Amino acid sequence: ATSVPSPSGSVPGAAAPFRPLFNDFGPPSMGYVQAMKPPGAQGSQSTYTDLLSVIEEMGKEIRPTYAGSKSAMERLKRGIIHARALVRECLAETERNAR
């Protein structure tokens, strides 16, 4: 009896069907690895600064995406995931500071 490989393939780099690594209902850590900051650190300013830099980088990917660049589209998707998680962090920090 011969074994049948799984549809996703076990070979690294093989084309597999698109499966998102995140959804809109899960925690922000589902889309990327999130660095943990110690409580009381200057987290809010650096998180906000990180968010601004991610948004700036995303802006550079817009035009190539319209031109049909698949790699730019993937970078833009990753940027959106990262930005959404940073927004959640900023909102959580705001909530903590409001108490």
Side-chain angles (χ1 to χ4, degrees):
T2 60
S3 63
V4 177
S6 65
S8 62
S10 59
V11 178
F18 174 74
R19 289 189 319 222
L21 299 173
F22 68 96
N23 62 36
D24 287 338
F25 307 105
S29 61
M30 291 181 72
Y32 73 102
V33 178
Q34 178 175 342
M36 297 301 290
K37 297 181 186 100
Q42 274 298 89
S44 60
Q45 282 294 336
S46 66
T47 303
Y48 182 72
T49 305
D50 290 348
L51 177 59
L52 291 177
S53 66
V54 167
I55 291 170
E56 185 177 339
E57 289 300 314
M58 286 169 45
K60 297 174 185 174
E61 305 299 339
I62 300 292
R63 193 176 300 249
T65 298
Y66 274 116
S69 169
K70 293 201 184 293
S71 59
M73 183 178 63
E74 290 301 317
R75 286 191 300 270
L76 185 58
K77 284 180 185 178
R78 284 194 304 271
I80 291 169
I81 293 167
H82 193 178
R84 288 176 59 208
L86 289 172
V87 166
R88 286 188 189 117
E89 284 183 39
C90 289
L91 288 172
E93 182 72 22
T94 303
E95 289 285 325
R96 282 193 297 273
N97 290 340
R99 293 180 186 172

